[in-house]
Amino acid sequence: MIVKTSDGREVPVEMYKIKIIQNVNLIPAEERLKAIENAGYNTFLVRSKDIFIDMLTDSGTNAMSDNQLGAAMLYDDAYAGSESFYKLANAVGKVLGFKYVLPTHQGRASEHLIAKVFVKEGNIVLTNYHFTTTKAHIELVGGKVLEIFGEEALNTQSKYLFKGNMDIQKLKDAINKYGKDKIAFVRMEATTNLIGGQPFSVENLKQVKKVCSDSGIILVMDGSLVSENAYLVQQRESGYKNKSVAEIVKEVVSLADLFYMSARKNSSVKGSIIATNQSDLYEKIKPWLPVYEGFLTYGGMSTKEIEAMAVGLEEMVDQHVASSTIEQVKYFVESLRVQGIPVITPPGGLACHLDAKRFVPHISQDQYPAGALTGALYIASGVRSMERGTISMDRDKDGKEQFADLEITRLAVPRRVYTISHIEYVVDRLLWLYKHRELIKGLTFVDEPPILRFFFGKLKAIDNWGRKLCDAFKKDFGNKM
Ligand SMILES: *Cc1c(COP(=O)(O)O)cnc(C)c1O
């Protein structure tokens, strides 16, 4: 909830209290330097015990409510016909309005089944922006992804409120160019992840739907972050101010022919669903569920998680739950922006994104500015973020670097996990880092895997800059911090 302070500021106040806690540890600067050097400046390779605040991702790292944990204990472990499944199916009907539901073990498993059934060799999927795992599954079955976004989508200093919108004219042009038979489906991703958690408007979605219906193409929605998109619509789109998040979610998902979501994000459990009202679409996917995931009434999920998801779906459309991460992110981004720290605007869902091209402009793209900034932040704070820049791209077939559109250090804010004081700490350390940014230099690979190198690749600091940064930090804060 946003509280207005007596001096006129707006501060988000968490609408939960903490009942179960996990202790965290802030190891001294000297040990942090050692940990990041051992990890080859790759935060995926740092152990959790060495991390103070973990902002790597919001996937599978969200906090469950007491009601979710309580419900989990009512699990019915039947191989077939589990009562837990019927509770989930009821919740899907009530919250999302879908008749048919297929549970899978996580978002990419839903993408695997959808790609397998609907994408043929040589097909094209039109989307507002790709997601890593979605693209991988479409390409694995011989399809291609074509992104159709508007002019503002990649502008990191924008005021445009719906950067997740599809460009309708370009969509029509693409359908004319390739023909409807070549297009497997149109995919709209809610709170578009890789361009900074940016939403689409309902108006845009309706136009996309109309083009799809007119040309007989199915509209698939990735709703992993659907409640955040709905909250942003409520805050930003005219005509939605007085509608509840629950009403907006229902309206948004009703426009999709086929819906899927990773429940590791929205709804705070470990799992995923595919849902639809169209029996022909459901029947096409259904036979593959027991082949790749599990029987119809559990798919790839444990029955405990299924019970918790039934409760989590209702919670995710609650105003306080849907708004909590977004308001924390907004506070985070604004606190940095007013002090001149380069962040992506407007703030979206999911995370605070640092624009490394502007934070460390002296580092060229072939020396990985976002990777260097991600490592530097860990040394200066014990905070783990994720590189989303050129390291996250692989080289082309000839070994040439493919430079990313954006060099981003992403600080994800998992749901109901951190408080404003954690965010204040990160903001303060980023201010310190910005003042000392000239100490940060580039990185160079010492061990570079050929594919998805960002997961396991190891790098080192050029001119041993990590040591110099660590010494400067200790001079200001002492070694204990
Ligand atoms: C995380 C995510 C996925 C993949 O979900 P997993 O459960 O991590 O496999 C797919 N789409 C979007 C938009 C996501 O954010």
Side-chain angles (χ1 to χ4, degrees), residues 30-93:
E30 199 62 41
E31 286 178 37
R32 298 198 294 268
L33 176 64
K34 219 181 285 161
I36 197 75
E37 283 178 347
N38 285 340
Y41 279 80
N42 181 347
T43 50
F44 280 96
L45 302 179
V46 178
R47 285 180 65 162
S48 181
K49 71 172 175 59
D50 294 333
I51 286 157
F52 177 37
I53 300 174
D54 197 352
M55 297 187 154
L56 185 74
T57 175
D58 66 328
S59 179
T61 55
N62 304 292
M64 279 193 194
S65 69
D66 49 0
N67 284 322
Q68 284 186 285
L69 271 176
M73 291 316 292
L74 302 175
Y75 66 97
D76 175 27
D77 257 348
Y79 187 94
S82 164
E83 278 308 308
S84 304
F85 173 77
Y86 295 103
K87 288 184 207 163
L88 176 64
N90 265 338
V92 168

Side-chain angles (χ1 to χ4, degrees), residues 58-59 105-109 111 131 133-134 187 189-191 193 222 224-225 260 262-265 271-272 350:
D58 66 328
S59 179
H105 78 274
Q106 69 183 90
R108 66 203 68 181
E111 289 167 340
F131 186 73
T133 52
T134 329
R187 171 181 177 274
E189 180 180 312
T191 319
N193 196 325
D222 180 338
S224 303
L225 306 166
Y260 73 93
S262 165
R264 293 169 65 86
K265 318 281 174 63
S272 168
L350 160 88

Side-chain angles (χ1 to χ4, degrees), residues 283-294:
E283 292 297 339
K284 278 186 188 156
I285 306 171
K286 189 171 117 181
W288 298 105
L289 192 71
V291 177
Y292 290 106
E293 295 289 314

Side-chain angles (χ1 to χ4, degrees), residues 1-14 327-328 331 420-421 424:
M1 186 174 67
I2 297 297
V3 168
K4 266 224 161 78
T5 61
S6 29
D7 60 353
R9 288 174 305 125
E10 291 190 339
V11 178
V13 175
E14 294 83 9
E327 294 301 345
Q328 286 186 333
Y331 182 87
I420 288 297
S421 64
E424 293 284 11

Side-chain angles (χ1 to χ4, degrees), residues 78-209:
Y79 187 94
S82 164
E83 278 308 308
S84 304
F85 173 77
Y86 295 103
K87 288 184 207 163
L88 176 64
N90 265 338
V92 168
K94 188 171 158 200
V95 176
L96 302 171
F98 292 118
K99 254 199 295 209
Y100 304 107
V101 56
L102 299 156
T104 68
H105 78 274
Q106 69 183 90
R108 66 203 68 181
S110 295
E111 289 167 340
H112 169 223
L113 295 179
I114 290 169
K116 180 169 178 58
V117 170
F118 296 102
V119 183
K120 307 275 170 288
E121 179 85 43
N123 276 182
I124 292 167
V125 171
L126 306 175
T127 183
N128 53 347
Y129 206 77
H130 81 278
F131 186 73
T132 49
T133 52
T134 329
K135 189 169 172 212
H137 280 294
I138 290 165
E139 289 175 352
L140 276 171
V141 293
K144 267 213 172 83
V145 172
L146 183 64
E147 289 162 335
I148 300 182
F149 46 78
E151 277 170 14
E152 284 292 308
L154 301 182
N155 176 3
T156 60
Q157 287 171 283
S158 173
K159 288 195 157 62
Y160 191 63
L161 297 177
F162 293 105
K163 290 203 266 185
N165 279 356
M166 214 175 236
D167 186 310
I168 300 299
Q169 191 52 50
K170 284 192 204 153
L171 173 63
K172 288 179 183 163
D173 292 347
I175 294 173
N176 284 336
K177 180 170 170 196
Y178 297 107
K180 86 172 201 30
D181 294 335
K182 228 185 154 189
I183 296 167
F185 52 80
V186 170
R187 171 181 177 274
M188 282 294 272
E189 180 180 312
T191 319
T192 322
N193 196 325
L194 296 188
I195 56 166
Q198 302 292 322
F200 53 66
S201 68
V202 178
E203 188 198 356
N204 182 257
L205 182 66
K206 283 180 177 163
Q207 290 168 344
V208 171
K209 171 68 175 181

